[in-house]
Structure formats: C-alpha cells, structure tokens
Amino acid sequence: TRKLLHVSQGLFAQFLGVSVKTVRAWEQGATSPSDMACRFMDEIQRNPEYWRKRLRDSVKVKEPA
C-alpha cells in the first residue's frame, strides 16, 4: 500500500498515525496491522490516486528562506 502512494516509511507512518517502527514491522512480516489500519489501507488500494492527492495536500511545503 505504501508503494502505491510512492512515499517513505516515515511519511506513510505519519499519514496512518503510527510509528515508523510499526510500518517497518508490518513490511517485514514481524507484526500485522490492526483491523483499523487494514481497513484504511484497503481504502487506499481502492483509489490510490485520491489518497496520493490527499497526502500531497496534507504535507506542508516549506517556503524558501
């Protein structure tokens, strides 16, 4: 699911409200996502372009100094 969004583990973790360590554990098969996280990732997989846009909109772009 993270790869569908083309984002880092850190950004994906922030978007889902979990730690990077949690995302890493899911991806390595050490633990499984919660039911709620699975449901959210199912929604992302159904319409990844929508969620890419939502993610872009939620990321604050720093202004040049």
Side-chain angles (χ1 to χ4, degrees):
T1 301
R2 178 175 69 83
K3 290 179 182 180
L4 283 174
L5 295 178
H6 310 291
V7 295
S8 66
Q9 286 181 339
L11 190 54
F12 190 60
Q14 184 178 4
F15 191 58
L16 292 179
V18 299
S19 71
V20 175
K21 184 178 177 180
T22 298
V23 171
R24 189 175 304 119
W26 294 344
E27 291 183 357
Q28 293 175 347
T31 62
S32 296
S34 68
D35 289 344
M36 183 61 78
C38 286
R39 177 73 176 111
F40 189 25
M41 288 189 282
D42 285 347
E43 289 301 314
I44 293 169
Q45 290 175 21
R46 287 188 180 130
N47 192 351
E49 186 52 43
Y50 169 80
W51 291 102
R52 278 188 214 109
K53 182 181 182 325
R54 291 286 309 266
L55 190 62
R56 281 191 305 267
D57 292 346
S58 71
V59 174
K60 294 181 182 178
V61 177
K62 292 184 179 180
E63 295 293 324

